[in-house]
Coordinates of all heavy atoms in Angstrom, one line a residue:
E40 N 101.9 107.6 74.5 CA 100.8 108.0 73.6 C 99.7 106.9 73.4 O 98.5 107.3 73.3 CB 101.4 108.5 72.3 CG 102.2 109.7 72.3 CD 103.6 109.3 72.8 OE1 104.0 108.1 72.9 OE2 104.4 110.2 73.2
E41 N 100.2 105.7 73.5 CA 99.2 104.6 73.3 C 98.5 104.2 74.6 O 97.3 103.8 74.6 CB 99.9 103.4 72.7 CG 99.0 102.3 72.2 CD 99.7 101.2 71.3 OE1 100.9 101.5 70.9 OE2 99.1 100.2 71.3
L42 N 99.2 104.5 75.7 CA 98.6 104.2 77.0 C 97.5 105.2 77.4 O 96.4 104.9 77.8 CB 99.6 104.2 78.1 CG 100.5 102.9 78.2 CD1 101.6 103.0 79.2 CD2 99.7 101.7 78.5
V43 N 97.8 106.5 77.2 CA 96.9 107.6 77.6 C 95.7 107.5 76.7 O 95.7 107.5 75.5 CB 97.5 109.0 77.5 CG1 96.5 110.0 77.8 CG2 98.7 109.0 78.6
G44 N 94.5 107.4 77.3 CA 93.3 107.3 76.6 C 92.8 105.9 76.4 O 91.6 105.7 76.0
A45 N 93.7 104.9 76.7 CA 93.3 103.5 76.5 C 92.7 103.0 77.8 O 92.9 103.5 78.9 CB 94.6 102.7 76.2
P46 N 91.8 102.0 77.7 CA 91.3 101.4 78.9 C 92.4 100.7 79.7 O 93.3 100.2 79.1 CB 90.3 100.4 78.5 CG 90.6 100.1 77.0 CD 91.2 101.4 76.5
H47 N 92.4 100.7 81.1 CA 93.5 100.2 81.8 C 93.6 98.7 81.6 O 94.7 98.1 81.8 CB 93.2 100.5 83.3 CG 94.6 100.6 84.0 ND1 95.3 99.5 84.3 CD2 95.2 101.5 84.6 CE1 96.3 99.9 85.0 NE2 96.4 101.1 85.2
N48 N 92.6 98.0 81.1 CA 92.8 96.6 80.9 C 93.5 96.4 79.6 O 93.6 95.2 79.1 CB 91.4 96.0 80.7 CG 90.5 96.4 79.6 OD1 90.9 97.1 78.7 ND2 89.2 96.0 79.6
I49 N 94.2 97.4 79.0 CA 95.2 97.1 77.9 C 96.2 96.2 78.3 O 96.8 95.5 77.6 CB 95.6 98.4 77.4 CG1 96.4 98.3 76.1 CG2 96.6 99.2 78.3 CD1 96.8 99.6 75.4
V50 N 96.5 96.2 79.6 CA 97.6 95.4 80.2 C 97.0 94.1 80.9 O 97.8 93.5 81.6 CB 98.5 96.1 81.1 CG1 99.3 97.3 80.4 CG2 97.7 96.8 82.3
R51 N 95.8 93.9 80.7 CA 95.2 92.8 81.5 C 95.7 91.4 81.0 O 95.7 91.2 79.7 CB 93.6 92.8 81.3 CG 93.0 91.7 82.1 CD 91.5 91.9 82.2 NE 90.8 90.8 82.8 CZ 89.5 90.9 83.1 NH1 88.8 92.0 82.9 NH2 88.9 89.8 83.7
H52 N 96.1 90.6 81.9 CA 96.6 89.2 81.5 C 95.4 88.2 81.4 O 94.6 88.3 82.3 CB 97.6 88.7 82.5 CG 98.5 87.6 82.0 ND1 98.0 86.3 81.9 CD2 99.8 87.6 81.6 CE1 98.9 85.5 81.4 NE2 100.1 86.3 81.2
P53 N 95.4 87.3 80.4 CA 94.2 86.4 80.3 C 94.2 85.4 81.5 O 93.1 84.8 81.6 CB 94.5 85.7 79.0 CG 96.0 85.9 78.7 CD 96.3 87.2 79.3
D54 N 95.2 85.3 82.2 CA 95.2 84.3 83.4 C 94.5 85.0 84.6 O 94.2 84.2 85.6 CB 96.7 83.9 83.8 CG 97.3 83.0 82.8 OD1 96.5 82.5 81.9 OD2 98.5 82.8 82.9
M55 N 94.3 86.2 84.6 CA 93.6 86.9 85.7 C 92.1 86.6 85.7 O 91.4 86.8 84.8 CB 93.8 88.3 85.7 CG 95.2 88.9 86.1 SD 95.4 88.4 87.9 CE 94.2 89.4 88.7
P56 N 91.6 86.1 87.0 CA 90.2 85.8 87.0 C 89.4 87.1 86.9 O 89.8 88.1 87.6 CB 90.1 85.2 88.4 CG 91.4 84.9 88.8 CD 92.3 85.7 88.1
A57 N 88.3 87.1 86.2 CA 87.4 88.3 86.2 C 86.8 88.6 87.5 O 86.6 89.8 87.9 CB 86.2 88.0 85.2
G58 N 86.7 87.6 88.5 CA 86.2 87.9 89.7 C 87.0 88.8 90.6 O 86.5 89.5 91.5
V59 N 88.4 88.7 90.4 CA 89.2 89.7 91.1 C 89.0 91.1 90.7 O 88.8 92.0 91.6 CB 90.7 89.3 90.8 CG1 91.6 90.3 91.6 CG2 91.1 88.0 91.4
F60 N 88.7 91.4 89.6 CA 88.4 92.7 89.0 C 87.0 93.1 89.6 O 86.6 94.3 89.8 CB 88.6 92.9 87.5 CG 89.9 92.7 87.2 CD1 90.3 91.6 86.4 CD2 90.9 93.7 87.5 CE1 91.7 91.4 86.1 CE2 92.2 93.5 87.0 CZ 92.6 92.3 86.4
R61 N 86.1 92.1 89.7 CA 84.7 92.3 90.2 C 84.8 92.8 91.6 O 84.1 93.8 92.1 CB 83.9 91.1 90.1 CG 82.5 91.3 90.5 CD 81.7 92.2 89.6 NE 81.6 93.6 90.2 CZ 81.4 94.7 89.4 NH1 81.1 94.5 88.2 NH2 81.4 95.9 89.9
V62 N 85.7 92.2 92.4 CA 85.9 92.6 93.8 C 86.5 94.0 93.8 O 86.0 94.9 94.7 CB 86.9 91.6 94.5 CG1 87.5 92.2 95.8 CG2 86.3 90.3 94.7
M63 N 87.4 94.3 92.9 CA 88.0 95.6 92.9 C 86.9 96.7 92.6 O 86.8 97.7 93.3 CB 89.1 95.7 91.8 CG 89.8 97.1 91.7 SD 90.8 97.3 90.2 CE 89.6 97.3 88.9
W64 N 86.1 96.5 91.5 CA 85.0 97.5 91.2 C 84.0 97.6 92.2 O 83.4 98.7 92.5 CB 84.5 97.1 89.8 CG 85.4 97.6 88.7 CD1 86.1 96.8 87.9 CD2 85.7 98.9 88.3 NE1 86.8 97.6 87.0 CE2 86.6 98.9 87.3 CE3 85.2 100.2 88.8 CZ2 87.1 100.1 86.7 CZ3 85.8 101.3 88.2 CH2 86.7 101.3 87.1
D65 N 83.7 96.5 92.9 CA 82.7 96.6 94.0 C 83.2 97.5 95.1 O 82.5 98.3 95.7 CB 82.5 95.2 94.6 CG 81.6 94.3 93.7 OD1 80.9 94.9 92.8 OD2 81.5 93.1 94.0
A66 N 84.5 97.4 95.4 CA 85.1 98.3 96.4 C 85.1 99.8 95.9 O 84.7 100.7 96.7 CB 86.5 97.9 96.8
L67 N 85.6 99.9 94.7 CA 85.7 101.4 94.2 C 84.3 102.0 94.1 O 84.1 103.2 94.3 CB 86.4 101.3 92.8 CG 87.8 100.8 92.8 CD1 88.4 100.8 91.4 CD2 88.7 101.7 93.8
E68 N 83.4 101.2 93.6 CA 82.0 101.8 93.5 C 81.3 102.1 94.8 O 80.5 103.0 94.9 CB 81.0 100.8 92.7 CG 81.5 100.8 91.2 CD 80.7 99.7 90.5 OE1 80.0 98.9 91.1 OE2 81.1 99.5 89.3
A69 N 81.8 101.5 95.9 CA 81.4 101.8 97.3 C 82.3 102.9 97.9 O 82.3 103.2 99.1 CB 81.4 100.6 98.1
E70 N 83.2 103.5 97.0 CA 84.1 104.5 97.4 C 85.1 104.1 98.5 O 85.5 104.8 99.3 CB 83.3 105.8 97.9 CG 82.4 106.4 96.8 CD 81.8 107.7 97.3 OE1 81.8 107.9 98.5 OE2 81.2 108.4 96.5
R71 N 85.5 102.8 98.4 CA 86.6 102.2 99.2 C 87.7 101.9 98.4 O 87.7 101.5 97.2 CB 86.1 100.9 99.9 CG 84.9 101.1 100.8 CD 84.8 99.9 101.7 NE 84.8 98.7 100.9 CZ 83.7 98.1 100.5 NH1 82.5 98.6 100.7 NH2 83.7 96.9 99.7
P72 N 89.0 102.0 98.9 CA 90.2 101.6 98.1 C 90.2 100.1 98.1 O 89.7 99.3 98.7 CB 91.3 102.2 99.0 CG 90.8 102.2 100.4 CD 89.3 102.5 100.2
F73 N 91.1 99.7 97.0 CA 91.3 98.2 96.8 C 92.8 98.0 96.8 O 93.7 98.9 96.3 CB 90.7 97.9 95.5 CG 91.2 96.5 95.0 CD1 90.6 95.4 95.3 CD2 92.4 96.4 94.1 CE1 91.0 94.1 94.9 CE2 92.7 95.2 93.7 CZ 92.0 94.0 94.0
A74 N 93.3 96.8 97.2 CA 94.6 96.4 97.2 C 94.6 94.9 96.9 O 93.8 94.1 97.5 CB 95.4 96.6 98.5
G75 N 95.4 94.5 96.0 CA 95.5 93.1 95.6 C 96.5 92.8 94.5 O 97.1 93.7 94.1
F76 N 96.8 91.5 94.5 CA 97.9 91.0 93.5 C 97.2 90.9 92.1 O 96.1 90.4 91.9 CB 98.5 89.7 93.9 CG 99.1 89.7 95.3 CD1 98.6 89.1 96.4 CD2 100.3 90.5 95.4 CE1 99.2 89.1 97.6 CE2 100.9 90.5 96.7 CZ 100.4 89.8 97.7
V77 N 98.0 91.4 91.1 CA 97.6 91.4 89.8 C 98.7 91.0 88.8 O 99.8 91.4 89.0 CB 97.0 92.8 89.3 CG1 96.6 92.7 87.8 CG2 95.8 93.2 90.2
R78 N 98.4 90.1 87.9 CA 99.3 89.7 86.8 C 98.9 90.5 85.6 O 97.8 90.4 85.1 CB 99.4 88.2 86.6 CG 100.2 87.8 85.4 CD 100.3 86.3 85.3 NE 101.0 85.7 86.4 CZ 100.6 84.6 87.0 NH1 99.7 83.9 86.5 NH2 101.4 84.1 88.0
N79 N 99.9 91.3 85.0 CA 99.6 92.1 83.8 C 100.4 91.5 82.7 O 101.3 90.7 82.8 CB 100.1 93.5 84.0 CG 99.1 94.2 85.0 OD1 97.9 93.9 85.1 ND2 99.6 95.2 85.6

Side-chain angles (χ1 to χ4, degrees):
E40 296 76 16
E41 194 169 339
L42 285 174
V43 174
H47 208 288
N48 64 10
I49 190 174
V50 294
R51 180 168 176 173
H52 197 288
D54 288 348
M55 279 297 296
V59 174
F60 297 108
R61 184 65 266 163
V62 170
M63 180 189 76
W64 280 109
D65 284 346
L67 296 178
E68 288 167 3
E70 299 185 349
R71 297 195 310 268
F73 167 86
F76 298 113
V77 177
R78 177 175 292 142
N79 287 333

